[in-house]
Amino acid sequence: MTDTNIYLPHLMRIAKITEEAPAVKTFRLEFMDAAAAAAFSFETGQFGLYSAFGEGESTFCIASSPTRKGYIECTFREAGRVTAALADKEEGDVVGFRGPYGNRFPIEQWKGKNLVFIAGGIALPPLRSVIWNCLDLRDWFKDITIVYGARSVADLVYKDELKEWEARPDVNLVVTVDPGGDVPGWTGKVGFVPPVVEALNPSPDNTIALVCGPPIMIKLTLPVLAKLGFPPEAIFTTLENRMKCGLGKCGRCNTGSSYVCKDGPVYTLEQLNSLPAEY
Amino acid sequence: MDLREKSRQLLESGDVKAVIGYEQGTMGARRPAFVKKAEKADRLVFDEACAQNLATYLTRPEIRKLGRVAITARPDTLRAILQLMAERQVKEENVLALAGDGTVELASAQAIEEHLATSAKELPARDREILERLSKMDRAQRWAFWQGELSRCVKCYACRNSCPMCYCGHCTMDCNRPQWVPVASHALGNLEYHMVRAMHLAGRCVECGDCGRACPVGIPIHLLTFNCEESVHHQFGQRAGASSKLDYALSTFRPDDKETFIR
Amino acid sequence: MADNFFLPQASLDTLFAALAKDGRRILAPTDRDGRTELNPVDKPADVAKDYLQTILSAKEAAFPKVERLMSFTTGSKSVDLVDAEPHALPTVLFGVRPCEASGFRALDAVFNWDTRDRFFNARMEALAVIGVACTRKDDACFCTSVGGGPGSTAGSDILLTPVDGGFLAEVLTEKGKAMAALAPEAFKADPGLEKKVVDVPVAFDQPGLTRRLKDRFEDGIWVEQSLRCVGCGACAYVCPTCVCFDIVEESDAKGGHRLRTWDSCGGHMFTLHASGHNPRETQAQRWRQRVYHKFSYYPERYDMLGCVGCGKCTRACPVDMNLQEHLAEAAQA
């Protein structure tokens, strides 16, 4: 039996680079190999390992929606060796991609429900994939609410898309920045995400909540959702444990016996409550 | 009074928050023990078989936050404590060394220095044997010897993690921006790792030999740092661990340095 | 069912010669510079005498400490990938102990669940194991506590048990039969030899331990046990079943290689995020991970243990983190 090399990435060309925020960029990537492009599909919530050849691989979610064919997008902040090398790339440069890996958001199970998206800072990208997926299937869902907070106005990512969502009558968008993060002319809210969610007071009836953000935001938002009456099985998040293989082998992403790269990255709060808090 | 009684008193009086010592381990070994309660002091032993340099633990976050601790100390441990004081990693008021049979209290750097003045350092027989062999080799033979030894390294970092002077929170070996040393344990990666480690310990190595003792594959890695230490002693006339007030020989400028390039 | 034979000591030469003639490399424990380590050997006389175990484990034969996963050349706006071929020489592992021979199964569980690891599989396909049962043990050994035994045949293609004048040879698998067929004259009819191995008493109740771990995660026992742990990777690197690895890149301006290397859950960098957040920040959390991975997560995910009781970690540990002792403690109420 001949096995293929599961560690070999696809080559992808950077079709477009968007500067989102200080040290945060979005790459639009297209497969260089037509056969690989034709064979590729993914679902919202899945992730990949992106190579800057010569430096290594880094793990990010696929930030675009599976409904948008022909490319994938990733959004990353320059934080380490690989992301620094990726940040140096220009349009037309070649990077590597392995994926899609991991589980997904079960959006078909949410038909007829309200959706509340709650995101903080650089954690909007995983939810952005779901948001566009759901907006492209808008008839499936009832009310769609998006709460997005960042440290400052400059740190808000997808600024054009925020305007687009704000303009849509079928989306309720609330953007907030941390106290002190506002600038003259800022017309959005000023305040941390958890109290903003509490003040918004979304109804838990027939509603799914999706929460992504820095650990402290998640930690403080979950009790708010519980207080509002959201049951743990209606709250979804994604984990971002460190990974090297994405294939359930390298051994570093586990939280308890659950491999974030295989059994996650998408978990309900109910599932997380049954796992050790090693994330 | 013996060590156990001494430890009980120290813990009961609140003089120290813990006694770092040795206990009976498995397969004839002695191993580090952390005694925080007086009634547990009976675990402690202190004899010739106690080999590890316990000063390694003084810079660990779990130990630092305890406050003042007592530590049973052989001469190597005492030297490490002084060197850690010289490098401002350990405060005099936070350490009580228990020397000799474990009942001799050395509460200050000065007391440790005076105690050390009475003890002579002697290399173990195995080290003397290897050094004897190395001394008879020419440069190419020595290179082959070390290549053979270092090829066995698996980069487990037992040498680094056992070393009382390797307390850096973020080691150069773990740095990847830039990646100074390859992560993988191949010939080049191993050689670079051990060269960097030996150089980083030149003038700081207290010659306890714990790195070599810790090596699971038996590389006499301590002889590299010993050798660097001897060079520093020869060139600068000082030994790591001799005093709590030593300057680090390789990063200290003196107007009367004998090398003209630096003046 | 195994076919049993008597393999006279002198016939080992015949067997080694036949294996070599068949183009196979023989890896066996050797005494080199005072250390018992696996090395290629030509003849039985090169094999270490009276060894208990090698320092490093037999996993090296299928999962080396460094291996290339791929290479690449980089140009302006272009990258060329070069797939890496597994470096799988036909190899006979001679003289490994039953504990280590059984360890390959735990590696296989990780490397081949869900997706198949070509590098591991190519080496395993090229590998045959002639184990030698134990007539000696030390205090670190606890194979019988984790489902193994000093005469266990699991993982060996042929298992040899020392008897007067040679070995009782149990030919266990197709690979074993193929090796025996290379030197049929070496394998004599079994005159009814008794398989006598060392007695390794059971040290703790493993099923009880695995059950006990379910509600022991937050227990202070992990902090207490790990206080002296210095956080090196010696235990993981000598372990025949520790499979966790790192993927690293080495390159220059024109290209480079992507390598897989051994890694250890004991180091603080293992789970450290680029943001500085670390899910397993303390040594106690990392020690607990090691125990749980082997005795709770492995049973849960793969229906087997991630430990074969060889005791290598205990022997390698610079501070006597004795696994058997700690497990026995954790198994108690």
Side-chain angles (χ1 to χ4, degrees):
Chain A
M1 177 167 19
T2 317
D3 297 320
T4 55
N5 184 351
I6 52 178
Y7 305 101
L8 207 59
H10 295 294
L11 294 179
M12 300 195 90
R13 196 170 295 286
I14 304 173
K16 188 177 153 201
I17 297 177
T18 308
E19 307 266 354
E20 302 285 359
V24 180
K25 290 182 178 184
T26 295
F27 283 180
R28 176 171 293 189
L29 304 172
E30 294 171 359
F31 283 94
M32 294 176 70
D33 180 63
F40 181 79
S41 70
F42 75 99
E43 293 183 88
T44 191
Q46 291 192 290
F47 67 92
L49 275 87
Y50 303 76
S51 302
F53 291 103
E55 304 299 334
E57 291 181 306
S58 200
T59 313
F60 325 119
C61 67
I62 301 174
S64 51
S65 165
T67 50
R68 311 292 171 99
K69 308 285 185 191
Y71 64 86
I72 58 168
E73 287 179 335
C74 64
T75 300
F76 60 93
R77 190 206 304 272
E78 190 183 333
R81 177 180 173 187
V82 176
T83 46
L86 287 172
D88 283 344
K89 301 282 182 204
E90 298 168 355
E91 289 178 0
D93 283 350
V94 178
V95 297
F97 173 79
R98 289 196 288 126
Y101 293 143
N103 68 351
R104 62 195 190 88
F105 287 101
I107 58 171
E108 74 284 353
Q109 292 172 16
W110 303 340
K111 280 185 187 175
K113 289 182 187 285
N114 306 305
L115 304 178
V116 178
F117 296 92
I118 304 165
I122 185 66
L124 182 57
L127 290 191
R128 180 228 196 191
S129 172
V130 205
I131 290 170
W132 279 120
N133 199 346
C134 293
L135 289 178
D136 288 345
L137 300 165
R138 188 64 188 85
D139 296 349
W140 287 15
F141 310 100
K142 292 170 78 181
D143 294 350
I144 292 183
T145 304
I146 304 169
V147 180
Y148 176 45
R151 214 172 291 168
S152 72
V153 174
D155 286 313
L156 293 165
V157 298
Y158 307 133
K159 291 183 179 69
D160 290 343
E161 289 165 59
L162 293 177
K163 282 182 201 145
E164 211 177 314
W165 296 338
E166 186 161 35
R168 284 178 72 135
D170 57 354
V171 174
N172 175 22
L173 176 73
V174 179
V175 180
T176 181
V177 295
D178 289 356
D182 51 329
V183 292
W186 171 246
T187 55
K189 283 188 186 303
V190 174
F192 295 109
V193 167
V196 168
V197 171
E198 189 164 5
L200 192 66
N201 194 20
S203 165
D205 295 335
N206 194 33
T207 305
I208 296 292
L210 298 91
V211 188
C212 273
I216 183 66
M217 188 209 90
I218 293 182
K219 195 178 162 190
L220 296 176
T221 302
L222 292 179
V224 170
L225 289 173
K227 194 171 153 192
L228 293 172
F230 282 82
E233 65 272 19
I235 302 173
F236 287 76
T237 190
T238 68
L239 295 186
E240 308 195 316
N241 284 16
R242 190 168 183 195
M243 298 170 191
K244 287 290 182 167
C245 72
L247 298 158
K249 305 193 192 301
C250 79
R252 50 177 52 55
C253 73
N254 73 294
T255 175
S257 64
S258 184
Y259 289 160
V260 174
C261 69
K262 296 301 301 184
D263 309 324
V266 177
Y267 292 89
T268 63
L269 180 58
E270 186 184 29
Q271 290 168 326
L272 285 188
N273 286 344
S274 72
L275 296 172
E278 289 193 335
Y279 43 81
Chain B
M1 181 178 316
D2 64 1
L3 166 66
R4 293 172 182 179
E5 182 55 33
K6 167 74 71 185
S7 300
R8 266 192 292 275
Q9 284 181 7
L10 288 167
L11 288 164
E12 267 164 8
S13 68
D15 200 5
V16 300
K17 293 286 185 288
V19 177
I20 306 175
Y22 304 88
E23 65 182 4
Q24 178 67 50
T26 53
M27 295 189 289
R30 301 286 185 268
R31 66 187 181 196
F34 304 83
V35 175
K36 293 179 193 164
K37 293 194 175 109
E39 62 267 27
K40 296 282 175 77
D42 281 346
R43 291 157 66 192
L44 292 168
V45 293
F46 195 40
D47 57 23
E48 286 299 305
C50 297
Q52 207 207 355
N53 192 333
L54 299 177
T56 292
Y57 294 104
L58 292 175
T59 54
R60 308 258 151 175
E62 297 87 349
I63 301 300
R64 274 190 199 279
K65 70 180 177 208
L66 288 178
R68 189 167 194 245
V69 294
I71 178 168
T72 55
R74 296 173 295 116
D76 291 340
T77 310
L78 295 174
R79 273 191 284 274
I81 293 169
L82 287 180
Q83 186 64 24
L84 286 168
M85 287 176 179
E87 297 183 15
R88 294 172 187 84
Q89 296 302 314
V90 166
K91 287 185 180 149
E92 214 169 347
E93 62 269 27
N94 281 345
V95 183
L96 173 65
L98 300 176
D101 62 356
T103 61
V104 180
E105 289 189 36
L106 304 175
S108 67
Q110 192 191 340
I112 295 173
E113 283 165 28
E114 284 165 7
H115 182 86
L116 276 175
T118 63
S119 71
K121 167 105 191 144
E122 202 182 325
L123 276 181
R126 177 166 180 262
D127 289 350
R128 283 203 306 271
E129 183 266 319
I130 298 172
L131 288 174
E132 178 75 22
R133 270 166 58 207
L134 281 169
S135 68
K136 288 178 185 146
M137 293 179 188
D138 62 24
R139 189 182 277 257
Q141 287 167 325
R142 275 205 306 276
W143 179 242
F145 170 84
W146 283 110
Q147 278 196 315
E149 287 294 332
L150 296 182
S151 69
R152 294 177 162 103
C153 173
V154 290
K155 285 253 188 92
C156 70
Y157 297 127
C159 45
R160 174 188 74 182
N161 288 26
S162 296
C163 174
M165 306 319 298
C166 278
Y167 50 74
C168 296
H170 193 66
C171 175
T172 298
M173 298 304 139
D174 298 329
C175 174
N176 71 0
R177 294 180 77 186
Q179 186 84 52
W180 296 108
V181 176
V183 174
S185 59
H186 47 49
L188 180 67
N190 291 350
L191 185 68
E192 287 187 342
Y193 164 48
H194 290 291
M195 281 172 55
V196 169
R197 207 184 98 78
M199 289 308 294
H200 192 195
L201 284 158
R204 304 177 53 243
C205 171
V206 297
E207 301 182 73
C208 64
D210 255 22
C211 48
R213 204 175 293 123
C215 180
V217 294
I219 306 171
I221 201 65
H222 55 296
L223 297 182
L224 284 182
T225 49
F226 283 18
N227 193 272
C228 290
E229 193 56 36
E230 287 310 309
S231 297
V232 170
H233 175 61
H234 179 68
Q235 295 291 334
F236 302 97
Q238 66 179 47
R239 278 193 191 280
S243 151
S244 67
K245 299 199 172 51
L246 277 188
D247 290 327
Y248 177 31
L250 296 191
S251 68
T252 306
F253 174 73
R254 285 188 190 149
D256 59 344
D257 196 290
K258 65 180 178 176
E259 299 290 350
T260 53
F261 76 90
I262 206 165
R263 277 187 278 165
Chain C
M1 194 58 204
D3 293 324
N4 288 8
F5 299 93
F6 172 57
L7 182 70
Q9 181 71 40
S11 293
L12 268 189
D13 286 289
T14 317
L15 178 61
F16 272 43
L19 292 170
K21 197 177 162 207
D22 192 47
R24 305 191 197 208
R25 176 179 63 141
I26 302 172
L27 277 181
T30 59
D31 264 325
R32 199 166 287 184
D33 304 327
R35 278 156 279 193
T36 311
E37 42 187 37
L38 277 181
N39 277 307
V41 299
D42 296 326
K43 52 189 187 300
D46 298 340
V47 180
K49 306 281 177 288
D50 298 327
Y51 63 94
L52 190 71
Q53 286 182 25
T54 50
I55 298 169
L56 296 179
S57 79
K59 80 176 169 196
E60 278 192 285
F63 174 36
K65 62 181 181 176
V66 189
E67 70 188 315
R68 189 179 294 179
L69 297 178
M70 64 164 214
S71 301
F72 51 88
T73 53
T74 45
S76 166
K77 309 274 174 207
S78 74
V79 173
D80 286 311
L81 297 185
V82 183
D83 198 355
E85 284 304 320
H87 191 63
L89 299 173
T91 299
V92 175
L93 251 182
F94 178 88
V96 295
R97 298 304 183 188
C99 49
E100 293 201 56
S102 70
F104 289 110
R105 185 165 161 256
L107 298 180
D108 182 74
V110 172
F111 278 130
N112 287 321
W113 87 282
D114 189 55
T115 51
R116 293 179 53 80
D117 188 288
R118 182 216 277 179
F119 300 91
F120 175 78
N121 292 339
R123 286 194 177 83
M124 282 305 284
E125 276 164 37
L127 189 71
V129 178
I130 303 180
V132 174
C134 300
T135 50
R136 248 172 14 98
K137 59 156 176 142
D138 71 7
D139 290 343
C141 293
F142 62 99
C143 56
T144 50
S145 303
V146 291
S152 168
T153 56
S156 289
D157 297 301
I158 297 176
L159 181 70
L160 305 180
T161 304
V163 294
D164 275 348
F167 303 92
L168 163 65
E170 296 171 86
V171 180
L172 299 152
T173 65
E174 291 305 316
K175 278 183 180 178
K177 282 178 191 160
M179 285 190 287
L182 294 171
E185 67 277 24
F187 292 83
K188 317 291 184 198
D190 172 18
L193 297 165
E194 189 194 354
K195 182 172 172 180
K196 234 173 105 181
V197 295
V198 69
D199 180 38
V200 181
V202 173
F204 57 90
D205 165 27
Q206 177 272 313
L209 167 69
T210 295
R211 278 195 305 276
R212 188 76 183 84
L213 290 180
K214 291 267 178 243
D215 58 6
R216 204 147 208 193
F217 196 81
E218 301 296 343
D219 204 307
I221 187 176
W222 312 117
V223 176
E224 283 306 311
Q225 289 189 349
S226 65
L227 267 178
R228 68 177 179 278
C229 173
V230 293
C232 75
C235 50
Y237 289 8
V238 300
C239 176
T241 63
C242 268
V243 62
C244 293
F245 59 81
D246 196 359
I247 297 177
V248 297
E249 229 150 277
E250 293 183 1
S251 62
D252 58 25
K254 290 181 188 144
H257 309 289
R258 192 166 286 175
L259 309 173
R260 165 157 75 193
T261 74
W262 292 347
D263 207 343
S264 162
C265 60
H268 78 287
M269 297 286 289
F270 191 65
T271 50
L272 181 67
H273 292 198
S275 67
H277 172 68
N278 196 344
R280 291 198 281 270
E281 198 153 32
T282 66
Q283 203 58 47
Q285 289 173 308
R286 299 191 282 271
W287 166 248
R288 179 177 62 189
Q289 160 70 14
R290 182 171 166 78
V291 173
Y292 271 73
H293 192 197
K294 291 180 174 302
F295 291 91
S296 182
Y297 308 155
Y298 246 87
E300 194 177 319
R301 290 195 79 96
Y302 311 116
D303 196 24
M304 66 174 84
L305 296 175
C307 174
V308 294
C310 65
K312 284 182 196 291
C313 53
T314 299
R315 290 181 208 103
C317 181
V319 291
D320 190 33
M321 293 288 287
N322 183 310
L323 187 60
Q324 174 188 330
E325 179 194 343
H326 287 133
L327 294 175
E329 186 188 12
Q332 284 165 10

